[in-house]
Amino acid sequence: MTQNLADASRPAVPAAVPAARTTAANDAARGGWWRDAVIYQVYPRSFADGNGDGMGDLPGIRARLPYLRDLGVDAVWLSPFYASPQADAGYDVADYRAVDPMFGTLLDADALIRDAHDLGLRIIVDLVPNHSSDQHEWFQRALREGPGSPLRERYHFRPGKGEDGELPPNDWESIFGGPAWTRTADPDGTPGDWYLHLFAPEQPDFNWDNPAVADEFRSILRFWLDMGVDGFRIDVAHGLVKAPGLPDLGSHDQLKLLGNDVMPFFDQDGVHAIYRSWRQILDEYPGARIGVAEAWTPTVQRTANYVRPDELHQAFNFQYLGTGWDADALREVIDVSLDSMRPVQAPTTWVLSNHDVTRHATRFANPPGLGTQIRTAGDRVLGLRRARAATLLMLALPGSAYIYQGEELGLPDVTDLPDEVRQDPSFFRQAGQDGFRDGCRVPIPWSGTEAPYGFGPNPGGPSWLPQPAEWAGLSVEVQTGDPTSTLELYRSALAVRRAQPALGAGTGVEWLPAPAGVLAFRRDAAEGSFVCTANTTGEPVLIPAPGRMLLSSAEAVETENGVELPADSTAWWAV
Ligand code: GLC
């Protein structure tokens, strides 16, 4: 199934160091490009559709790379585009070295990586090591060959409990709802062993105690590093190692425990040996190739374990993503995040949205406390105002920040998708993540007045999820050049962030006195200082102007008595 690079004229493997904006000397001065990189997540299904079939693809992304360069991001993380039956939108990989035909070919991936590097953008690809697709050759052979097949050792096959093995081997539940086990049929058709899948039944978990699994992933890492990628986002990085004996959990509300406790299937200490071995491979390559952990752990302190100096480079800060628009809570999570990363000398990361959660413009449009999967549109005007303010706050913090495609357009979640168009497997398994992830995966509006708004080449053409009619007014084309647009706010913020020596990498902030509900902090550099003020209240607040205003998410009024920070707004100041 693996595709080969058939183009004999293909020049030698590219070095992964983009020439344009980040020189090696600059990187070294900052301690590594990834210490303050702004990384833009592309969800390939929904970014840009080059061939008009309604599904985004690699040629579509490639054609839009100049947009990302102009936006001012440093790197692009691509969600999976590998050969996959798409039972979980590509997070069910059937061949880790092949591009799914729906997204293009390996040559398209090669061209995309090269073009990105020419534009000064780095490329991070998604690696899915916790589970494969049930269509992966190993799993298919394991089923075909039946009990005793050595390939069964590469997954977790177990006999069932009960008189006839009719009960699952333990009480673990799938993140997507229902039991984490599915029973197989033996080659003669009789009911056989069960296999473990922490996610959908089409996603069997690998057995990382089996050396063939570890060998295979080291080889996959090298394959993509040789292709020139600058790093990997590691899916479910906390899940690879399971507690010996796969012990029962003894609880039937396991999802509620996630994130509060170390589980027998999540955040086991054994995962760290894997990342130490991967780090050695990453370090063999020139240009600081990185690993980023998607690790849902009970605390930021435990997340820090994944980014110790001999492990991965970054980990997502989901505690920050889960924090509401509230000054006290934000200050606390910012402090804890910075404090936790300091001892391991890893950059703190910040993220507000991704392909698994309700977009922050919609989260902030709703009352607090609803979590990260929300079904109601809420107050859109309020949500957007807060989202813009939250973005400026995030981009002012020390470390690296993640932007999810479309947030720069202020896109809300689509909360009213009809059931018949939904594709998220968790929707069909009901419980789990609530099944509302399709709402943040709706294709991007680029231009024009008719759907798919430039997502595909043909007006009136298809898109795999329908876009709301009002998205015509949110397109890149409409927002470009409008100084009040969210897109121009992001462009300005990223340009200022690049230009301000006090922004970007760092390990701490100095909190300044501020009225209740207002966050104010200072960051210093030899060339000049910077202050960020964020008013999280629903009322304007008057404060003494901290310096010269650089940027604001809403129009701040400067008066003789000071500056009036509008409700739910953030401003940046040069001091
Ligand atoms: C990660 C991905 C999510 C996927 C899951 C299973 O959490 O971000 O989209 O469903 O892993 O691979």
Side-chain angles (χ1 to χ4, degrees), residues 41 43 77 79 88-92 126 128 130-131 176 199-200 203 233 235-236 238 294 296 354-356 424-425 433 437 441:
Q41 181 187 358
Y43 194 66
W77 148 35
S79 282
D88 185 19
Y91 283 96
D92 49 319
D126 222 305
V128 189
N130 181 66
H131 45 263
F176 290 161
F199 293 88
Q203 295 168 295
R233 176 264 188 191
D235 189 64
V236 194
H238 52 302
E294 185 215 23
W296 293 88
N354 65 34
H355 66 293
D356 288 330
D424 183 352
Q433 296 182 1
R437 299 183 302 173
R441 299 175 176 179

PDB file of all heavy atoms in Angstrom, residues 41 43 77 79 88-92 126 128 130-131 176 199-200 203 233 235-236 238 294 296 354-356 424-425 433 437 441, ligand 1:
ATOM      1  N   GLN A  41      -2.342  25.244  12.904  1.00  0.00           N
ATOM      2  CA  GLN A  41      -2.852  23.895  12.632  1.00  0.00           C
ATOM      3  C   GLN A  41      -3.723  23.901  11.390  1.00  0.00           C
ATOM      4  O   GLN A  41      -4.759  24.580  11.342  1.00  0.00           O
ATOM      5  CB  GLN A  41      -3.673  23.350  13.812  1.00  0.00           C
ATOM      6  CG  GLN A  41      -4.178  21.938  13.535  1.00  0.00           C
ATOM      7  CD  GLN A  41      -5.136  21.398  14.579  1.00  0.00           C
ATOM      8  OE1 GLN A  41      -5.417  22.063  15.566  1.00  0.00           O
ATOM      9  NE2 GLN A  41      -5.654  20.198  14.340  1.00  0.00           N
ATOM     10  N   TYR A  43      -6.147  21.556   9.218  1.00  0.00           N
ATOM     11  CA  TYR A  43      -6.941  20.333   9.235  1.00  0.00           C
ATOM     12  C   TYR A  43      -7.204  20.012   7.770  1.00  0.00           C
ATOM     13  O   TYR A  43      -8.061  20.642   7.131  1.00  0.00           O
ATOM     14  CB  TYR A  43      -8.236  20.594  10.015  1.00  0.00           C
ATOM     15  CG  TYR A  43      -8.976  19.343  10.388  1.00  0.00           C
ATOM     16  CD1 TYR A  43      -8.423  18.436  11.281  1.00  0.00           C
ATOM     17  CD2 TYR A  43     -10.219  19.064   9.851  1.00  0.00           C
ATOM     18  CE1 TYR A  43      -9.095  17.273  11.624  1.00  0.00           C
ATOM     19  CE2 TYR A  43     -10.903  17.912  10.191  1.00  0.00           C
ATOM     20  CZ  TYR A  43     -10.336  17.021  11.082  1.00  0.00           C
ATOM     21  OH  TYR A  43     -11.006  15.875  11.418  1.00  0.00           O
ATOM     22  N   TRP A  77       1.311  22.862  11.332  1.00  0.00           N
ATOM     23  CA  TRP A  77       1.092  21.466  11.738  1.00  0.00           C
ATOM     24  C   TRP A  77      -0.086  20.938  10.927  1.00  0.00           C
ATOM     25  O   TRP A  77      -1.160  21.533  10.918  1.00  0.00           O
ATOM     26  CB  TRP A  77       0.836  21.398  13.259  1.00  0.00           C
ATOM     27  CG  TRP A  77      -0.097  20.289  13.703  1.00  0.00           C
ATOM     28  CD1 TRP A  77      -0.223  19.032  13.180  1.00  0.00           C
ATOM     29  CD2 TRP A  77      -1.049  20.355  14.764  1.00  0.00           C
ATOM     30  NE1 TRP A  77      -1.195  18.316  13.855  1.00  0.00           N
ATOM     31  CE2 TRP A  77      -1.714  19.101  14.826  1.00  0.00           C
ATOM     32  CE3 TRP A  77      -1.406  21.355  15.684  1.00  0.00           C
ATOM     33  CZ2 TRP A  77      -2.719  18.837  15.763  1.00  0.00           C
ATOM     34  CZ3 TRP A  77      -2.397  21.080  16.619  1.00  0.00           C
ATOM     35  CH2 TRP A  77      -3.037  19.831  16.652  1.00  0.00           C
ATOM     36  N   SER A  79      -2.772  18.030  10.409  1.00  0.00           N
ATOM     37  CA  SER A  79      -3.433  16.835  10.931  1.00  0.00           C
ATOM     38  C   SER A  79      -3.283  15.722   9.890  1.00  0.00           C
ATOM     39  O   SER A  79      -2.921  15.986   8.744  1.00  0.00           O
ATOM     40  CB  SER A  79      -4.892  17.143  11.244  1.00  0.00           C
ATOM     41  OG  SER A  79      -4.987  17.845  12.468  1.00  0.00           O
ATOM     42  N   ASP A  88     -12.028   7.861  11.758  1.00  0.00           N
ATOM     43  CA  ASP A  88     -11.892   8.970  12.699  1.00  0.00           C
ATOM     44  C   ASP A  88     -11.137  10.104  11.995  1.00  0.00           C
ATOM     45  O   ASP A  88     -10.134  10.614  12.505  1.00  0.00           O
ATOM     46  CB  ASP A  88     -11.161   8.502  13.968  1.00  0.00           C
ATOM     47  CG  ASP A  88     -11.091   9.601  15.036  1.00  0.00           C
ATOM     48  OD1 ASP A  88     -11.881  10.563  14.952  1.00  0.00           O
ATOM     49  OD2 ASP A  88     -10.234   9.488  15.936  1.00  0.00           O
ATOM     50  N   ALA A  89     -11.633  10.466  10.823  1.00  0.00           N
ATOM     51  CA  ALA A  89     -11.095  11.590  10.057  1.00  0.00           C
ATOM     52  C   ALA A  89      -9.576  11.521   9.896  1.00  0.00           C
ATOM     53  O   ALA A  89      -8.884  12.530   9.991  1.00  0.00           O
ATOM     54  CB  ALA A  89     -11.514  12.917  10.704  1.00  0.00           C
ATOM     55  N   GLY A  90      -9.063  10.327   9.667  1.00  0.00           N
ATOM     56  CA  GLY A  90      -7.629  10.192   9.386  1.00  0.00           C
ATOM     57  C   GLY A  90      -6.788   9.825  10.593  1.00  0.00           C
ATOM     58  O   GLY A  90      -5.611   9.492  10.449  1.00  0.00           O
ATOM     59  N   TYR A  91      -7.363   9.896  11.800  1.00  0.00           N
ATOM     60  CA  TYR A  91      -6.639   9.449  12.997  1.00  0.00           C
ATOM     61  C   TYR A  91      -6.743   7.923  13.144  1.00  0.00           C
ATOM     62  O   TYR A  91      -6.529   7.377  14.213  1.00  0.00           O
ATOM     63  CB  TYR A  91      -7.115  10.190  14.248  1.00  0.00           C
ATOM     64  CG  TYR A  91      -6.543  11.600  14.320  1.00  0.00           C
ATOM     65  CD1 TYR A  91      -7.264  12.694  13.863  1.00  0.00           C
ATOM     66  CD2 TYR A  91      -5.265  11.830  14.804  1.00  0.00           C
ATOM     67  CE1 TYR A  91      -6.733  13.977  13.899  1.00  0.00           C
ATOM     68  CE2 TYR A  91      -4.727  13.106  14.848  1.00  0.00           C
ATOM     69  CZ  TYR A  91      -5.460  14.176  14.393  1.00  0.00           C
ATOM     70  OH  TYR A  91      -4.912  15.438  14.427  1.00  0.00           O
ATOM     71  N   ASP A  92      -7.081   7.275  12.047  1.00  0.00           N
ATOM     72  CA  ASP A  92      -7.079   5.812  11.949  1.00  0.00           C
ATOM     73  C   ASP A  92      -6.234   5.497  10.719  1.00  0.00           C
ATOM     74  O   ASP A  92      -6.712   5.545   9.600  1.00  0.00           O
ATOM     75  CB  ASP A  92      -8.511   5.279  11.805  1.00  0.00           C
ATOM     76  CG  ASP A  92      -9.334   6.005  10.726  1.00  0.00           C
ATOM     77  OD1 ASP A  92      -9.256   7.250  10.607  1.00  0.00           O
ATOM     78  OD2 ASP A  92     -10.039   5.315   9.966  1.00  0.00           O
ATOM     79  N   ASP A 126       1.497  14.999  11.776  1.00  0.00           N
ATOM     80  CA  ASP A 126       0.849  14.300  12.888  1.00  0.00           C
ATOM     81  C   ASP A 126       1.315  12.846  12.877  1.00  0.00           C
ATOM     82  O   ASP A 126       1.364  12.232  11.812  1.00  0.00           O
ATOM     83  CB  ASP A 126      -0.675  14.355  12.678  1.00  0.00           C
ATOM     84  CG  ASP A 126      -1.434  14.633  13.947  1.00  0.00           C
ATOM     85  OD1 ASP A 126      -1.244  13.879  14.911  1.00  0.00           O
ATOM     86  OD2 ASP A 126      -2.241  15.586  13.963  1.00  0.00           O
ATOM     87  N   VAL A 128       0.476   9.108  14.666  1.00  0.00           N
ATOM     88  CA  VAL A 128      -0.577   8.469  15.462  1.00  0.00           C
ATOM     89  C   VAL A 128      -0.071   7.104  15.950  1.00  0.00           C
ATOM     90  O   VAL A 128      -0.330   6.072  15.318  1.00  0.00           O
ATOM     91  CB  VAL A 128      -1.873   8.315  14.635  1.00  0.00           C
ATOM     92  CG1 VAL A 128      -3.037   7.857  15.520  1.00  0.00           C
ATOM     93  CG2 VAL A 128      -2.234   9.616  13.927  1.00  0.00           C
ATOM     94  N   ASN A 130      -0.598   5.525  19.008  1.00  0.00           N
ATOM     95  CA  ASN A 130      -1.336   4.765  20.022  1.00  0.00           C
ATOM     96  C   ASN A 130      -2.142   3.627  19.398  1.00  0.00           C
ATOM     97  O   ASN A 130      -2.329   2.583  20.005  1.00  0.00           O
ATOM     98  CB  ASN A 130      -2.274   5.687  20.794  1.00  0.00           C
ATOM     99  CG  ASN A 130      -3.045   4.939  21.865  1.00  0.00           C
ATOM    100  OD1 ASN A 130      -2.460   4.442  22.834  1.00  0.00           O
ATOM    101  ND2 ASN A 130      -4.357   4.798  21.692  1.00  0.00           N
ATOM    102  N   HIS A 131      -2.613   3.872  18.181  1.00  0.00           N
ATOM    103  CA  HIS A 131      -3.480   2.888  17.532  1.00  0.00           C
ATOM    104  C   HIS A 131      -3.309   3.010  16.032  1.00  0.00           C
ATOM    105  O   HIS A 131      -2.881   4.045  15.527  1.00  0.00           O
ATOM    106  CB  HIS A 131      -4.948   3.157  17.896  1.00  0.00           C
ATOM    107  CG  HIS A 131      -5.305   4.611  17.810  1.00  0.00           C
ATOM    108  ND1 HIS A 131      -5.323   5.438  18.918  1.00  0.00           N
ATOM    109  CD2 HIS A 131      -5.621   5.408  16.758  1.00  0.00           C
ATOM    110  CE1 HIS A 131      -5.645   6.667  18.551  1.00  0.00           C
ATOM    111  NE2 HIS A 131      -5.822   6.686  17.254  1.00  0.00           N
ATOM    112  N   PHE A 176     -14.675   7.380  23.030  1.00  0.00           N
ATOM    113  CA  PHE A 176     -15.811   7.738  22.171  1.00  0.00           C
ATOM    114  C   PHE A 176     -17.122   7.113  22.652  1.00  0.00           C
ATOM    115  O   PHE A 176     -18.134   7.178  21.954  1.00  0.00           O
ATOM    116  CB  PHE A 176     -15.547   7.272  20.728  1.00  0.00           C
ATOM    117  CG  PHE A 176     -14.473   8.051  20.013  1.00  0.00           C
ATOM    118  CD1 PHE A 176     -13.853   7.527  18.895  1.00  0.00           C
ATOM    119  CD2 PHE A 176     -14.090   9.319  20.433  1.00  0.00           C
ATOM    120  CE1 PHE A 176     -12.869   8.236  18.212  1.00  0.00           C
ATOM    121  CE2 PHE A 176     -13.106  10.034  19.772  1.00  0.00           C
ATOM    122  CZ  PHE A 176     -12.493   9.489  18.655  1.00  0.00           C
ATOM    123  N   PHE A 199     -10.262   4.218  21.466  1.00  0.00           N
ATOM    124  CA  PHE A 199     -11.116   5.134  20.701  1.00  0.00           C
ATOM    125  C   PHE A 199     -12.148   4.290  19.941  1.00  0.00           C
ATOM    126  O   PHE A 199     -12.767   3.416  20.537  1.00  0.00           O
ATOM    127  CB  PHE A 199     -10.245   6.042  19.818  1.00  0.00           C
ATOM    128  CG  PHE A 199      -9.403   6.985  20.664  1.00  0.00           C
ATOM    129  CD1 PHE A 199      -8.149   6.610  21.137  1.00  0.00           C
ATOM    130  CD2 PHE A 199      -9.895   8.218  21.045  1.00  0.00           C
ATOM    131  CE1 PHE A 199      -7.405   7.452  21.957  1.00  0.00           C
ATOM    132  CE2 PHE A 199      -9.162   9.071  21.865  1.00  0.00           C
ATOM    133  CZ  PHE A 199      -7.916   8.681  22.316  1.00  0.00           C
ATOM    134  N   ALA A 200     -12.319   4.490  18.654  1.00  0.00           N
ATOM    135  CA  ALA A 200     -13.361   3.751  17.929  1.00  0.00           C
ATOM    136  C   ALA A 200     -12.938   2.288  17.722  1.00  0.00           C
ATOM    137  O   ALA A 200     -11.741   1.977  17.737  1.00  0.00           O
ATOM    138  CB  ALA A 200     -13.598   4.424  16.575  1.00  0.00           C
ATOM    139  N   GLN A 203     -10.076   1.527  15.530  1.00  0.00           N
ATOM    140  CA  GLN A 203      -8.760   2.039  15.932  1.00  0.00           C
ATOM    141  C   GLN A 203      -8.132   1.134  17.006  1.00  0.00           C
ATOM    142  O   GLN A 203      -8.040   1.530  18.177  1.00  0.00           O
ATOM    143  CB  GLN A 203      -8.896   3.474  16.468  1.00  0.00           C
ATOM    144  CG  GLN A 203      -9.343   4.477  15.401  1.00  0.00           C
ATOM    145  CD  GLN A 203      -9.759   5.816  15.996  1.00  0.00           C
ATOM    146  OE1 GLN A 203     -10.732   5.904  16.736  1.00  0.00           O
ATOM    147  NE2 GLN A 203      -9.012   6.863  15.695  1.00  0.00           N
ATOM    148  N   ARG A 233       3.672  16.145  15.641  1.00  0.00           N
ATOM    149  CA  ARG A 233       2.697  16.298  16.724  1.00  0.00           C
ATOM    150  C   ARG A 233       2.276  14.872  17.044  1.00  0.00           C
ATOM    151  O   ARG A 233       1.857  14.128  16.157  1.00  0.00           O
ATOM    152  CB  ARG A 233       1.528  17.153  16.252  1.00  0.00           C
ATOM    153  CG  ARG A 233       0.386  17.320  17.254  1.00  0.00           C
ATOM    154  CD  ARG A 233      -0.698  16.309  16.984  1.00  0.00           C
ATOM    155  NE  ARG A 233      -1.893  16.550  17.786  1.00  0.00           N
ATOM    156  CZ  ARG A 233      -2.895  15.688  17.885  1.00  0.00           C
ATOM    157  NH1 ARG A 233      -2.861  14.531  17.235  1.00  0.00           N
ATOM    158  NH2 ARG A 233      -3.939  15.959  18.617  1.00  0.00           N
ATOM    159  N   ASP A 235       0.044  12.177  18.526  1.00  0.00           N
ATOM    160  CA  ASP A 235      -1.346  11.964  18.918  1.00  0.00           C
ATOM    161  C   ASP A 235      -1.413  11.028  20.124  1.00  0.00           C
ATOM    162  O   ASP A 235      -0.725  10.004  20.163  1.00  0.00           O
ATOM    163  CB  ASP A 235      -2.068  11.320  17.720  1.00  0.00           C
ATOM    164  CG  ASP A 235      -3.563  11.236  17.913  1.00  0.00           C
ATOM    165  OD1 ASP A 235      -4.198  12.294  17.996  1.00  0.00           O
ATOM    166  OD2 ASP A 235      -4.095  10.112  17.972  1.00  0.00           O
ATOM    167  N   VAL A 236      -2.252  11.385  21.090  1.00  0.00           N
ATOM    168  CA  VAL A 236      -2.464  10.539  22.278  1.00  0.00           C
ATOM    169  C   VAL A 236      -1.112  10.069  22.842  1.00  0.00           C
ATOM    170  O   VAL A 236      -0.904   8.886  23.135  1.00  0.00           O
ATOM    171  CB  VAL A 236      -3.384   9.331  21.972  1.00  0.00           C
ATOM    172  CG1 VAL A 236      -3.872   8.671  23.253  1.00  0.00           C
ATOM    173  CG2 VAL A 236      -4.602   9.750  21.154  1.00  0.00           C
ATOM    174  N   HIS A 238       0.086  10.249  25.579  1.00  0.00           N
ATOM    175  CA  HIS A 238      -0.005   9.753  26.960  1.00  0.00           C
ATOM    176  C   HIS A 238      -0.575   8.336  27.020  1.00  0.00           C
ATOM    177  O   HIS A 238      -0.737   7.773  28.093  1.00  0.00           O
ATOM    178  CB  HIS A 238      -0.916  10.686  27.769  1.00  0.00           C
ATOM    179  CG  HIS A 238      -2.251  10.929  27.108  1.00  0.00           C
ATOM    180  ND1 HIS A 238      -2.361  11.452  25.850  1.00  0.00           N
ATOM    181  CD2 HIS A 238      -3.519  10.708  27.526  1.00  0.00           C
ATOM    182  CE1 HIS A 238      -3.634  11.543  25.511  1.00  0.00           C
ATOM    183  NE2 HIS A 238      -4.352  11.096  26.511  1.00  0.00           N
ATOM    184  N   GLU A 294       0.689  15.537  22.371  1.00  0.00           N
ATOM    185  CA  GLU A 294      -0.714  15.716  22.763  1.00  0.00           C
ATOM    186  C   GLU A 294      -0.902  14.801  23.967  1.00  0.00           C
ATOM    187  O   GLU A 294      -1.118  13.605  23.830  1.00  0.00           O
ATOM    188  CB  GLU A 294      -1.685  15.298  21.660  1.00  0.00           C
ATOM    189  CG  GLU A 294      -3.129  15.612  22.064  1.00  0.00           C
ATOM    190  CD  GLU A 294      -4.179  14.610  21.584  1.00  0.00           C
ATOM    191  OE1 GLU A 294      -3.860  13.446  21.303  1.00  0.00           O
ATOM    192  OE2 GLU A 294      -5.358  14.995  21.520  1.00  0.00           O
ATOM    193  N   TRP A 296      -2.896  14.376  27.452  1.00  0.00           N
ATOM    194  CA  TRP A 296      -3.915  14.794  28.420  1.00  0.00           C
ATOM    195  C   TRP A 296      -3.490  14.205  29.760  1.00  0.00           C
ATOM    196  O   TRP A 296      -3.569  12.996  29.960  1.00  0.00           O
ATOM    197  CB  TRP A 296      -5.289  14.274  28.023  1.00  0.00           C
ATOM    198  CG  TRP A 296      -5.822  14.874  26.760  1.00  0.00           C
ATOM    199  CD1 TRP A 296      -5.612  14.410  25.497  1.00  0.00           C
ATOM    200  CD2 TRP A 296      -6.647  16.047  26.628  1.00  0.00           C
ATOM    201  NE1 TRP A 296      -6.257  15.222  24.585  1.00  0.00           N
ATOM    202  CE2 TRP A 296      -6.903  16.229  25.247  1.00  0.00           C
ATOM    203  CE3 TRP A 296      -7.192  16.962  27.543  1.00  0.00           C
ATOM    204  CZ2 TRP A 296      -7.671  17.274  24.758  1.00  0.00           C
ATOM    205  CZ3 TRP A 296      -7.970  17.996  27.047  1.00  0.00           C
ATOM    206  CH2 TRP A 296      -8.200  18.154  25.678  1.00  0.00           C
ATOM    207  N   ASN A 354      -8.663  23.820  18.724  1.00  0.00           N
ATOM    208  CA  ASN A 354      -8.121  22.801  17.817  1.00  0.00           C
ATOM    209  C   ASN A 354      -9.290  22.021  17.224  1.00  0.00           C
ATOM    210  O   ASN A 354     -10.452  22.393  17.423  1.00  0.00           O
ATOM    211  CB  ASN A 354      -7.087  21.906  18.528  1.00  0.00           C
ATOM    212  CG  ASN A 354      -7.685  21.072  19.650  1.00  0.00           C
ATOM    213  OD1 ASN A 354      -8.839  20.641  19.570  1.00  0.00           O
ATOM    214  ND2 ASN A 354      -6.914  20.822  20.687  1.00  0.00           N
ATOM    215  N   HIS A 355      -8.984  20.939  16.525  1.00  0.00           N
ATOM    216  CA  HIS A 355     -10.009  20.197  15.788  1.00  0.00           C
ATOM    217  C   HIS A 355     -10.856  19.299  16.682  1.00  0.00           C
ATOM    218  O   HIS A 355     -11.728  18.595  16.179  1.00  0.00           O
ATOM    219  CB  HIS A 355      -9.340  19.344  14.708  1.00  0.00           C
ATOM    220  CG  HIS A 355      -8.482  18.272  15.303  1.00  0.00           C
ATOM    221  ND1 HIS A 355      -7.334  18.546  16.012  1.00  0.00           N
ATOM    222  CD2 HIS A 355      -8.619  16.934  15.342  1.00  0.00           C
ATOM    223  CE1 HIS A 355      -6.805  17.417  16.446  1.00  0.00           C
ATOM    224  NE2 HIS A 355      -7.569  16.417  16.058  1.00  0.00           N
ATOM    225  N   ASP A 356     -10.584  19.288  17.979  1.00  0.00           N
ATOM    226  CA  ASP A 356     -11.320  18.408  18.900  1.00  0.00           C
ATOM    227  C   ASP A 356     -12.248  19.165  19.846  1.00  0.00           C
ATOM    228  O   ASP A 356     -12.976  18.536  20.612  1.00  0.00           O
ATOM    229  CB  ASP A 356     -10.331  17.615  19.770  1.00  0.00           C
ATOM    230  CG  ASP A 356      -9.597  16.536  18.992  1.00  0.00           C
ATOM    231  OD1 ASP A 356     -10.172  15.998  18.028  1.00  0.00           O
ATOM    232  OD2 ASP A 356      -8.456  16.226  19.365  1.00  0.00           O
ATOM    233  N   ASP A 424     -18.270  12.708  12.761  1.00  0.00           N
ATOM    234  CA  ASP A 424     -17.448  12.403  13.932  1.00  0.00           C
ATOM    235  C   ASP A 424     -17.898  11.066  14.535  1.00  0.00           C
ATOM    236  O   ASP A 424     -19.059  10.916  14.907  1.00  0.00           O
ATOM    237  CB  ASP A 424     -17.628  13.533  14.958  1.00  0.00           C
ATOM    238  CG  ASP A 424     -16.767  13.345  16.186  1.00  0.00           C
ATOM    239  OD1 ASP A 424     -16.137  12.275  16.321  1.00  0.00           O
ATOM    240  OD2 ASP A 424     -16.734  14.279  17.007  1.00  0.00           O
ATOM    241  N   PRO A 425     -16.953  10.090  14.658  1.00  0.00           N
ATOM    242  CA  PRO A 425     -17.377   8.784  15.191  1.00  0.00           C
ATOM    243  C   PRO A 425     -17.950   8.883  16.596  1.00  0.00           C
ATOM    244  O   PRO A 425     -18.808   8.086  16.977  1.00  0.00           O
ATOM    245  CB  PRO A 425     -16.085   7.965  15.185  1.00  0.00           C
ATOM    246  CG  PRO A 425     -14.972   8.945  15.090  1.00  0.00           C
ATOM    247  CD  PRO A 425     -15.529  10.133  14.355  1.00  0.00           C
ATOM    248  N   GLN A 433     -16.847  12.142  23.737  1.00  0.00           N
ATOM    249  CA  GLN A 433     -16.565  13.570  23.612  1.00  0.00           C
ATOM    250  C   GLN A 433     -17.802  14.345  23.178  1.00  0.00           C
ATOM    251  O   GLN A 433     -17.683  15.426  22.601  1.00  0.00           O
ATOM    252  CB  GLN A 433     -15.434  13.779  22.618  1.00  0.00           C
ATOM    253  CG  GLN A 433     -14.133  13.161  23.084  1.00  0.00           C
ATOM    254  CD  GLN A 433     -12.992  13.425  22.114  1.00  0.00           C
ATOM    255  OE1 GLN A 433     -13.161  14.078  21.109  1.00  0.00           O
ATOM    256  NE2 GLN A 433     -11.832  12.909  22.432  1.00  0.00           N
ATOM    257  N   ARG A 437     -17.610  17.379  17.486  1.00  0.00           N
ATOM    258  CA  ARG A 437     -16.374  17.910  16.914  1.00  0.00           C
ATOM    259  C   ARG A 437     -16.522  18.347  15.462  1.00  0.00           C
ATOM    260  O   ARG A 437     -15.706  19.114  14.974  1.00  0.00           O
ATOM    261  CB  ARG A 437     -15.242  16.887  17.062  1.00  0.00           C
ATOM    262  CG  ARG A 437     -14.941  16.551  18.523  1.00  0.00           C
ATOM    263  CD  ARG A 437     -13.768  15.597  18.642  1.00  0.00           C
ATOM    264  NE  ARG A 437     -14.021  14.376  17.902  1.00  0.00           N
ATOM    265  CZ  ARG A 437     -13.106  13.422  17.723  1.00  0.00           C
ATOM    266  NH1 ARG A 437     -11.892  13.578  18.218  1.00  0.00           N
ATOM    267  NH2 ARG A 437     -13.401  12.320  17.052  1.00  0.00           N
ATOM    268  N   ARG A 441     -14.931  21.738  12.391  1.00  0.00           N
ATOM    269  CA  ARG A 441     -14.201  21.189  11.235  1.00  0.00           C
ATOM    270  C   ARG A 441     -14.812  21.616   9.903  1.00  0.00           C
ATOM    271  O   ARG A 441     -14.467  21.073   8.857  1.00  0.00           O
ATOM    272  CB  ARG A 441     -14.193  19.656  11.339  1.00  0.00           C
ATOM    273  CG  ARG A 441     -13.495  19.169  12.597  1.00  0.00           C
ATOM    274  CD  ARG A 441     -13.575  17.662  12.770  1.00  0.00           C
ATOM    275  NE  ARG A 441     -12.813  17.245  13.944  1.00  0.00           N
ATOM    276  CZ  ARG A 441     -12.711  15.986  14.374  1.00  0.00           C
ATOM    277  NH1 ARG A 441     -13.338  15.021  13.714  1.00  0.00           N
ATOM    278  NH2 ARG A 441     -11.991  15.691  15.433  1.00  0.00           N
TER     279      ARG A 441
HETATM  280  C1  GLC B   1      -6.510  12.763  19.340  1.00  0.00           C
HETATM  281  C2  GLC B   1      -6.971  13.528  18.120  1.00  0.00           C
HETATM  282  C3  GLC B   1      -8.430  13.239  17.892  1.00  0.00           C
HETATM  283  C4  GLC B   1      -8.598  11.765  17.653  1.00  0.00           C
HETATM  284  C5  GLC B   1      -8.008  10.959  18.797  1.00  0.00           C
HETATM  285  C6  GLC B   1      -7.862   9.527  18.426  1.00  0.00           C
HETATM  286  O1  GLC B   1      -7.096  13.201  20.494  1.00  0.00           O
HETATM  287  O2  GLC B   1      -6.715  14.883  18.303  1.00  0.00           O
HETATM  288  O3  GLC B   1      -8.955  13.958  16.820  1.00  0.00           O
HETATM  289  O4  GLC B   1      -9.958  11.443  17.535  1.00  0.00           O
HETATM  290  O5  GLC B   1      -6.706  11.405  19.117  1.00  0.00           O
HETATM  291  O6  GLC B   1      -6.814   9.384  17.493  1.00  0.00           O
END
